[in-house]
């Protein structure tokens, strides 16, 4: 195996691990909000934190974290899920955590910052080879390369 191929496999494994870890964290946070607390409690919690339109933002964030986490785990719509989850975390920092400093034990932004950074990194890098998103991507890239070659030859 060439060093380029090994690096490529290592990068794809790194993306898989990042997707799985971030996905599980987001999924479980969403599960907690949707299943354990329920929408009325989530709405009340968001209202207490000063979130705008808590009757909408609370349930939307809960479902986003649940579904977005599952999408990251599967590597499906990874870039879209990554962007939406990163926006979710920016909202959490701005509305709740920034005034508490950095450290999570004081209610700070370190956890939501790390989750948001990871989500935006996945949105930028994509899901990697070991993802449902990658199943159709290879054939699209090959078709595009064939079209480009045909155009160049014409």
């Amino acid at each position: 195996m060439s060093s380029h191929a090994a690096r490529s496999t290592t990068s794809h494994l790194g993306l898989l691990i990042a997707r799985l870890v971030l996905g599980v964290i987001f999924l479980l946070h969403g599960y907690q909000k949707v299943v354990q607390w329920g929408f009325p409690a989530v709405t009340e919690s968001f209202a207490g934190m000063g979130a705008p339109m808590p009757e909408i933002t609370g349930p939307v964030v809960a479902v986003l974290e649940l579904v977005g986490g599952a999408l990251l785990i599967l590597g499906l719509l990874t870039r879209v899920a990554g962007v939406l989850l990163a926006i979710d975390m920016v909202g959490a920092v701005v509305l709740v955590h920034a005034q508490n400093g950095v450290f999570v034990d004081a209610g700070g932004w370190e956890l939501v910052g790390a989750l948001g950074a990871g989500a935006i990194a996945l949105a930028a890098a994509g899901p990697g080879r070991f993802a449902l998103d990658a199943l159709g991507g290879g054939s699209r890239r090959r078709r595009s390369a064939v079209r480009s070659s045909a155009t160049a030859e014409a």
Side-chain angles (χ1 to χ4, degrees):
M1 178 183 291
S2 72
S3 64
H4 176 70
R7 218 177 11 247
S8 178
T9 298
T10 302
S11 296
H12 291 288
L13 285 173
L15 289 169
L16 173 63
I17 292 166
R19 278 194 2 258
L20 293 176
V21 171
L22 289 169
V24 166
I25 293 169
F26 278 116
L27 180 117
L28 291 177
H29 276 259
Y31 177 87
Q32 181 183 47
K33 289 176 179 82
V34 172
V35 177
Q36 292 179 336
W37 298 349
F39 291 140
V42 169
T43 299
E44 184 179 324
S45 174
F46 272 56
M49 291 184 280
M53 300 182 297
E55 62 284 343
I56 296 170
T57 55
V60 166
V61 163
V63 171
L64 170 61
E65 291 176 1
L66 180 69
V67 174
L71 291 172
L72 290 184
I73 291 167
L74 295 171
L76 184 62
L77 299 173
T78 303
R79 292 180 189 268
V80 172
V83 167
L84 293 174
L85 290 165
I87 291 168
D88 173 22
M89 295 297 97
V90 168
V93 168
V94 170
L95 293 173
V96 180
H97 299 283
Q99 67 269 17
N100 298 322
V102 174
F103 300 109
V104 73
D105 64 346
W109 59 265
E110 72 178 319
L111 175 61
V112 295
L115 290 172
I120 202 66
L122 287 174
R129 182 184 324 146
F130 308 115
L132 291 179
D133 282 341
L135 292 178
S139 61
R140 277 191 298 253
R141 281 190 294 275
R142 281 190 297 278
R143 283 194 302 269
S144 177
V146 167
R147 278 194 301 269
S148 295
S149 293
T151 305
E153 292 173 3

